[in-house]
Amino acid sequence: MRTLDTICIMCPLGCPLRVTEKDGKVCVEGNTCARGAKYGAEEFTYPKRTVTTLVKEKSGGVCSVKTSSSVPKDRIKDVLFEASKLCVTDAKIGDVILQNVLGLGVDFVVTGTSRD
Amino acid sequence: MRYDVIVIGGGPAGMAAALAADKAGAKTLILERDTRLGGILNQCIHQGFGLHYFKEEMTGPEYAHRFKQLVEKSSVEVMLESMVLSIGDDLTLTALSPSHGLMKLEAGAIVLAMGCRERTAGAIMLPGTRPAGIYTAGMAQKLSNVMGYLVGKEVVILGSGDIGLIMARRMTSEGAHVKLVLELMPFSSGLKRNIVQCLDDYDIPIKYSHTITKVEGSPRLTGLRYAPVDEFRRPILEKEEYISCDTLLLSVGLIPENDLLSGTSVLLDRVTGGAVVDENRMTTVQGVFSCGNVLHVHDLVDNVSNEAEIAGRAAAEFALCAQKEKEYFGVKATNGIRYALPQRISGGEGKITLFFRVDAVYKNRKLVVLSGDKVIKSRKFAVLAPGEMGSVEIDRALVDGELTVRLDDENA
């Protein structure tokens, strides 16, 4: 049986959560509100994160990028690797520099450059 | 040169204050020592900014960009690479810049928005040698995110402030191995979200109630000795352990950068490290205002923007309208409350938000605000932690004596 022990991040209370699966049903324990139950279940079944990282600029600098929405947590490494292969010129805030990263349905969007 | 309002610092606080002053009709100048506006936001490439202020989640550079665009569209003047050397009680400034040389400036009001700096190895009396490879977390963040350098490969982080936690994830993303986080206190000073998403997500261990007992290596850091601490935060040397690493990041607190005030009569609060201010964020020197991290260290930039708008608006009003002498009531923090801000309040109409931090983790407590002996506000909190700034709104009309902010048992 898979078990996930984590802390709820929905509010400063930080309830310790234990999430398990019983007969195909996700069971959250330790939460003190409905938001915690939802968070625990999501973290257990399909945890997602927005990835932010750097991309090389041809001029020698770096620009910062983010994924346009969150990606599955277990794909963060792959997404970072894709960003490490890129090299851009004259990127501006808001530019999409790679579409549909690894088929995950998210784009790399420029969030800042050293010229801004 | 004379301006109605001169804002020192072009970070989130400075930009918001200047925009508010401009909107109120004041001729406004921002003096910024860096080559661009945005301050520390420029290097905070992670998400989590703007949820309250812009109602959307964005990265630091994006949040800064929004404000930079507003500044560009406004009539606010900006001088970059301009270092303020001194300010006086008479609202004069001297500043230096490559393009303008030495400047003498006069202001109708001054807004302090210089932000804060990090505590260093010296500030915490870190034991051992001083090899290469020891950085404050924010310095490492700048080297990484703005300049594109990887500062180390085998990393230990001392302190669990938010920048340290964020840098644990950042360094991991760039291929470094973050081996351990050590925290002197039995709890983290960072946000819960950062513990989960920056440490737990990457299986980075954190040891609470632990500290470094010796730094080793020359010329480069080779390793650290560390040990658990007792209830008085003294290391228990019998339990000392060793960990090899080439890099140590320090995330051990922030200090409001108030050095400029040394020649003035601005009264400083020993707890916050910032000025003592009233509800308009005016210091004890008439016409000098303070906001953002130079006033007290914030967790969220959204709160900085809001606070700076109060200061900017009030600075414009001070510069443009005749002011009446005000009578103030002091605000005292006691019984679990480390500080409350503003530290003094004048009577009047409307609501005032009091910001506060607690001195330890508390569960099921009641925050009470008294005017003299009379309770004018009480609010229950399920949990209060030093790492998360709290706030409570009070009715100004009820204030008729010295204020006290304290924590009581929930049922008291």
Side-chain angles (χ1 to χ4, degrees):
Chain A
M1 192 177 71
R2 190 161 69 96
T3 308
L4 173 74
D5 287 308
T6 188
I7 314 164
C8 182
I9 63 167
M10 290 291 105
C11 82
L13 206 54
C15 296
L17 302 180
R18 168 159 287 191
V19 195
T20 49
E21 199 168 351
K22 276 178 204 153
D23 312 320
K25 260 185 93 177
V26 176
C27 174
V28 182
E29 292 167 82
N31 62 300
T32 48
C33 73
R35 287 203 306 162
K38 186 165 175 270
Y39 171 78
E42 270 174 18
E43 279 293 288
F44 186 77
T45 50
Y46 197 57
K48 291 168 87 181
R49 302 282 186 267
T50 298
V51 177
T52 57
T53 188
L54 300 169
V55 164
K56 287 192 284 287
E57 285 183 334
K58 206 153 191 197
S59 59
V62 287
C63 67
S64 55
V65 300
K66 67 175 181 185
T67 52
S68 51
S69 60
S70 49
V71 303
K73 199 175 115 180
D74 58 11
R75 299 302 301 278
I76 292 174
K77 246 190 180 162
D78 306 328
V79 170
L80 287 169
F81 187 64
E82 288 307 297
S84 74
K85 293 190 226 164
L86 298 172
C87 187
V88 297
T89 43
D90 297 326
K92 286 186 297 296
I93 287 187
D95 285 358
V96 171
I97 53 167
L98 184 66
Q99 285 185 319
N100 196 13
V101 180
L102 295 169
L104 293 168
V106 302
D107 308 329
F108 277 135
V109 183
V110 174
T111 58
T113 74
S114 50
R115 295 175 302 280
D116 291 308
Chain B
M1 280 184 285
R2 193 195 144 81
Y3 291 85
D4 294 326
V5 175
I6 296 181
V7 181
I8 308 176
M15 289 193 286
L19 285 166
D22 177 62
K23 207 173 158 192
K27 186 186 175 203
T28 306
L29 170 72
I30 297 177
L31 295 167
E32 165 58 47
R33 68 180 169 190
D34 202 348
T35 53
R36 55 176 170 167
L37 292 175
I40 226 69
L41 282 173
N42 290 325
Q43 66 188 58
C44 298
I45 66 166
H46 54 281
Q47 286 268 97
F49 303 89
L51 262 176
H52 299 276
Y53 193 87
F54 289 114
K55 309 289 175 226
E56 60 178 288
E57 191 170 22
M58 49 180 93
T59 64
E62 290 173 305
Y63 191 99
H65 187 66
R66 288 278 179 100
F67 270 93
K68 287 182 211 178
Q69 285 182 313
L70 293 172
V71 170
E72 263 168 42
K73 277 189 221 142
S74 73
S75 355
V76 173
E77 284 181 50
V78 179
M79 285 189 197
L80 298 173
E81 296 182 277
S82 300
M83 183 80 189
V84 176
L85 302 176
S86 67
I87 63 175
D89 287 351
D90 58 353
L91 306 181
T92 59
L93 300 90
T94 52
L96 200 58
S97 96
S99 50
H100 295 82
L102 186 67
M103 292 176 277
K104 289 260 181 213
L105 298 158
E106 283 171 44
I110 293 173
V111 180
L112 309 168
M114 296 89 82
C116 58
R117 60 166 170 255
E118 294 172 284
R119 293 177 79 203
T120 60
I124 59 163
M125 292 192 283
L126 189 70
T129 55
R130 289 286 180 273
I134 302 178
Y135 301 90
T136 58
M139 187 68 223
Q141 189 179 46
K142 180 169 186 175
L143 287 165
S144 163
N145 297 352
V146 178
M147 303 169 82
Y149 296 110
L150 182 64
V151 298
K153 289 177 179 160
E154 301 266 296
V155 186
V156 173
I157 298 173
L158 177 64
S160 60
D162 286 312
I163 317 167
L165 300 176
I166 297 278
M167 279 313 290
R169 173 172 64 188
R170 196 79 266 295
M171 301 276 301
T172 308
S173 299
E174 294 297 335
H177 176 204
V178 180
K179 297 171 88 169
L180 181 63
V181 178
L182 298 167
E183 169 59 56
L184 178 67
M185 303 302 283
F187 50 83
S188 167
S189 52
L191 301 171
K192 286 266 166 11
R193 175 169 75 175
N194 289 334
I195 296 283
V196 173
Q197 298 193 346
C198 301
L199 299 186
D200 297 353
D201 273 8
Y202 300 91
D203 296 318
I204 299 168
I206 178 164
K207 288 191 175 178
Y208 293 105
S209 300
H210 274 69
T211 195
I212 291 172
T213 47
K214 198 172 180 207
V215 171
E216 293 186 356
S218 176
R220 177 87 192 191
L221 181 67
T222 52
L224 299 164
R225 294 186 185 282
Y226 65 98
V229 295
D230 64 18
E231 56 187 306
F232 303 108
R233 291 183 226 156
R234 293 176 305 209
I236 304 165
L237 291 174
E238 301 83 70
K239 294 187 183 167
E240 193 177 62
E241 288 181 73
Y242 176 81
I243 187 165
S244 66
C245 60
D246 60 25
T247 304
L248 170 65
L249 301 188
L250 302 173
S251 180
V252 290
L254 302 166
I255 308 165
E257 197 157 349
N258 273 313
D259 312 62
L260 265 180
L261 299 183
S262 59
T264 70
S265 317
V266 173
L267 191 67
L268 290 179
D269 181 323
R270 266 194 288 177
V271 179
T272 59
V276 169
V277 292
D278 67 10
E279 66 276 5
N280 287 330
R281 305 301 184 269
M282 187 165 82
T283 68
T284 51
V285 171
Q286 293 272 316
V288 178
F289 296 76
S290 180
C291 58
N293 280 357
V294 79
L295 179 58
H296 60 140
V297 177
H298 294 65
D299 319 318
L300 299 176
V301 71
D302 306 68
N303 290 339
V304 168
S305 301
N306 287 325
E307 181 176 83
E309 284 169 357
I310 296 173
R313 210 163 33 232
E317 199 182 301
F318 182 93
L320 301 174
C321 317
Q323 299 292 309
K324 272 183 281 179
E325 272 291 316
K326 281 184 194 170
E327 197 187 330
Y328 287 112
F329 298 109
V331 180
K332 202 174 101 189
T334 178
N335 204 16
I337 305 293
R338 201 161 74 81
Y339 75 81
L341 190 141
Q343 294 92 338
R344 48 190 207 153
I345 284 176
S346 64
E349 304 277 288
K351 305 261 186 200
I352 290 179
T353 305
L354 275 178
F355 293 91
F356 64 90
R357 273 185 204 276
V358 291
D359 59 11
V361 178
Y362 293 99
K363 288 198 170 157
N364 300 320
R365 293 298 164 107
K366 191 164 69 178
L367 182 104
V368 180
V369 183
L370 300 109
S371 172
D373 304 329
K374 186 181 66 194
V375 175
I376 59 165
K377 182 84 186 188
S378 89
R379 195 179 138 195
K380 285 179 183 178
F381 286 89
V383 69
L384 286 163
E388 321 224 0
M389 192 192 291
S391 67
V392 66
E393 222 175 42
I394 57 166
D395 197 342
R396 227 168 142 182
L398 297 175
V399 178
D400 57 5
E402 298 290 299
L403 290 173
T404 307
V405 187
R406 68 174 198 221
L407 279 189
D408 285 348
D409 281 340
E410 198 176 41
N411 304 315

